[in-house]
Amino acid sequence: MQINILRIFCGLLQATLVGSVLVAEAAPPSSQPQTVDLTPRLASGDVAQVTAKLEVGGEVLVTDDAGEEKPLPMSVVAELAYTEQFVLWSADVDARLASLRRYDRADATLKVGDQGEDRSLPAERRDLVAVAVGELQLVNRPGAVVPLTRAQLDLVDLPANTLVLDRLMPGGMMTIGDNWAHDALTMAALLGLDRVGACEVHSAAVGVERDQVQIRMAGTVNGTADGAATELEVRGAYLFHLKLGRITKFNLAVQEKRKAGEISPGLDVTAKLTLVVKPVDANQAPFDAEAVAAAADAEPTALARLAVDDPRRGFRFQHGSEWFVTGEQPQLLSLRLWRGGELLAHCNVTTLPGRSEKHPTTIAELEADVKTALGKKIESISAAEEWIAPNGNRCLAVFANGKVDEAPIQWRYYLITAPGRPQASVAVTVEQDRLEAFADADRELIDTLELVGDEPATAAKTQAIR
């Protein structure tokens, strides 16, 4: 059945990828089957120039005020160009991979409904480190004072990550006409999925021309993306250069149907990616030995750190990549923590008017506000403390325990102040039986939060404890 699916999709590719440089040639007639070595030969120090174009069209499924799911037309066009210098590479799916990238271009145009937005990676944030370990793929600026924002990460986090792309190759000698199955871990990395539950994807070598093996890929993948169940039909056409020992051109077409999840809307889209990899001489490597050593030792926790960096809100802070922004208003930012396939916490960050230095909010006042807001839901105050953060902010915290519909809950309320600045309220809600897994994931946000800009014109005091 898998081979029949493969043959059907290979036929469809002729129409899908018309005009492509990857149009298949039939294997040359021969009395002996033609064999080729499909072993990738990538190594530390290899350098390549990469260009990529991604086009996505379809519908995003959003929930309206009445709770009904509503489809909105959406489209994305993204174009990237970067030089990639490999630091660590192995065909072993369990091995750690790393590279350095210098982006010459990273631009995208996004449209949802009647709204559109252009995005571009700032010039000062175009030297990045990419790391892949199993299903985990990270791209960021380790050691930078300000890491990438989620929007900037989305610009460079495309399917067919060139760090993992050549793991599609089976290794060893193959005969033209043979096919091979792709493992779930490789497809998760290739498609940017959290997990893969079922994977039936094959590639087949269909011809050779000018030292390049022409390969077709097709099949289906079921898994999760951003915690939501998704189904994908995958079709691909790519070239493996026998002398260079790597994939040099890759076309991918994906039809995805994703259910709405806790941190992302539903999708019904088609995506098409065109990727060209041009190896260059190692003397064109853009990074020095110090940068290479730093990339080899980059910690995943540092690479997973993202920034909320919008001074117009009155605050900026850093957070782990497992926190996702799920709602935005002029003076309110809502986030959810998704870790290990579970929704662990909700968080609201709110801008509030500043208070006189002569009459600052006391811990007793904050505790009283918390008790008033929670009412009968509260059972006890488990913590109430005040401290000065490393950046000089005054921080107040009150933790309250209680129940909602018989579920034990802990509410964590923080108030962050600084002279001459607006205040910030941070309200975190987490179920008590998930506190161990939560592991104080809010503290990085609190410790890095900066108060910036002018005080907001209006804000209600009660917002501090929402």
Side-chain angles (χ1 to χ4, degrees):
M1 178 62 70
Q2 294 170 354
I3 295 177
N4 289 339
I5 292 174
L6 178 67
R7 288 173 180 168
I8 292 170
F9 280 142
C10 284
L12 289 174
L13 276 167
Q14 295 292 340
T16 303
L17 304 177
V18 63
S20 165
V21 295
L22 304 184
V23 173
E25 297 285 345
S30 172
S31 57
Q32 296 294 327
Q34 187 174 7
T35 59
V36 289
D37 187 356
L38 298 184
T39 303
R41 300 190 306 277
L42 299 173
S44 174
D46 286 353
V47 182
Q49 294 174 346
V50 180
T51 58
K53 183 174 183 179
L54 175 68
E55 298 176 278
V56 183
E59 294 178 335
V60 58
L61 308 176
V62 299
T63 303
D64 60 20
D65 294 337
E68 298 292 329
E69 198 170 65
K70 177 182 178 182
L72 290 176
M74 64 85 70
S75 66
V76 177
V77 177
E79 295 190 61
L80 303 181
Y82 58 91
T83 301
E84 182 166 46
Q85 182 176 336
F86 277 15
V87 175
L88 301 170
W89 198 87
S90 170
D92 184 351
V93 294
D94 296 319
R96 184 176 188 267
L97 311 183
S99 70
L100 289 152
R101 294 178 181 175
R102 175 162 293 169
Y103 284 79
D104 299 311
R105 182 178 186 184
D107 306 308
T109 298
L110 302 85
K111 295 181 180 179
V112 177
D114 56 2
Q115 297 183 346
E117 178 184 355
D118 292 326
R119 293 182 183 176
S120 183
L121 193 65
E124 69 274 13
R125 299 186 180 187
R126 294 192 172 190
D127 282 1
L128 305 178
V129 173
V131 167
V133 185
E135 294 167 333
L136 182 65
Q137 297 183 77
L138 302 165
V139 183
N140 215 320
R141 307 166 66 221
V145 175
V146 180
L148 297 179
T149 66
R150 175 75 65 180
Q152 291 164 354
L153 174 62
D154 289 344
L155 269 178
V156 298
D157 189 21
L158 298 187
N161 183 345
T162 45
L163 192 56
V164 300
L165 181 63
D166 285 271
R167 282 181 170 172
L168 288 174
M169 303 311 300
M173 302 299 294
M174 300 284 287
T175 300
I176 297 302
D178 285 350
N179 71 83
W180 60 95
H182 296 295
D183 63 89
L185 198 60
T186 296
M187 294 309 299
L190 186 80
L191 300 171
L193 301 179
D194 305 329
R195 298 284 187 275
V196 169
C199 178
E200 295 186 1
V201 182
H202 285 70
S203 280
V206 298
V208 182
E209 185 178 5
R210 299 174 184 174
D211 292 319
Q212 296 185 99
V213 181
Q214 299 155 343
I215 303 169
R216 293 288 182 264
M217 177 177 69
T220 59
V221 179
N222 294 340
T224 60
D226 292 339
T230 186
E231 299 177 358
L232 303 98
E233 290 188 357
V234 179
R235 303 189 298 274
Y238 53 111
L239 299 179
F240 179 78
H241 201 293
L242 293 169
K243 290 185 177 179
L244 298 174
R246 67 181 301 172
I247 295 170
T248 53
K249 293 176 182 174
F250 187 81
N251 281 5
L252 180 68
V254 178
Q255 291 182 318
E256 179 176 9
K257 292 187 177 181
R258 184 186 305 184
K259 295 182 178 179
E262 295 282 0
I263 57 176
S264 62
L267 294 173
D268 187 352
V269 297
T270 298
K272 295 181 181 180
L273 175 75
T274 302
L275 184 73
V276 178
V277 180
K278 182 181 178 182
V280 297
D281 195 272
N283 61 20
Q284 297 185 40
F287 297 96
D288 59 21
E290 183 178 354
V292 169
D297 296 333
E299 291 292 334
T301 52
L303 286 165
R305 188 173 295 120
L306 298 173
V308 169
D309 189 12
D310 187 354
R312 295 172 299 177
R313 288 189 196 282
F315 54 76
R316 62 165 64 98
F317 58 86
Q318 297 181 20
H319 61 87
S321 61
E322 295 164 323
W323 283 104
F324 291 82
V325 174
T326 55
E328 297 185 66
Q329 297 177 21
Q331 294 162 12
L332 171 66
L333 194 70
S334 297
L335 303 95
R336 292 181 179 180
L337 179 65
W338 184 268
R339 178 186 292 162
E342 284 189 299
L343 178 64
L344 293 184
H346 299 259
C347 176
N348 285 341
V349 186
T350 309
T351 307
L352 302 172
R355 282 187 60 162
S356 167
E357 293 181 49
K358 295 181 180 180
H359 303 285
T361 302
T362 66
I363 194 72
E365 288 175 323
L366 181 60
E367 185 174 332
D369 286 344
V370 169
K371 290 179 177 178
T372 299
L374 293 178
K376 294 182 179 180
K377 292 183 290 186
I378 191 172
E379 294 179 341
S380 65
I381 298 294
S382 60
E385 59 179 314
E386 177 181 338
W387 71 95
I388 302 298
N391 59 12
N393 288 339
R394 177 172 173 260
C395 301
L396 288 76
V398 172
F399 291 6
N401 293 333
K403 289 183 178 179
V404 175
D405 296 330
E406 299 304 315
I409 302 293
Q410 182 171 98
W411 295 272
R412 298 181 169 199
Y413 297 107
Y414 300 89
L415 185 65
I416 296 97
T417 69
R421 298 293 185 185
Q423 300 181 102
S425 160
V426 180
V428 179
T429 304
V430 56
E431 294 185 17
Q432 291 183 37
D433 62 0
R434 296 184 177 179
L435 283 171
E436 184 176 356
F438 179 67
D440 293 332
D442 49 353
R443 287 308 298 263
E444 181 179 25
L445 188 158
I446 301 301
D447 291 343
T448 62
L449 192 144
E450 299 178 57
L451 299 169
V452 296
D454 299 325
E455 293 184 14
T458 59
K461 181 180 179 181
T462 53
Q463 285 181 307
I465 52 177
R466 290 204 317 189

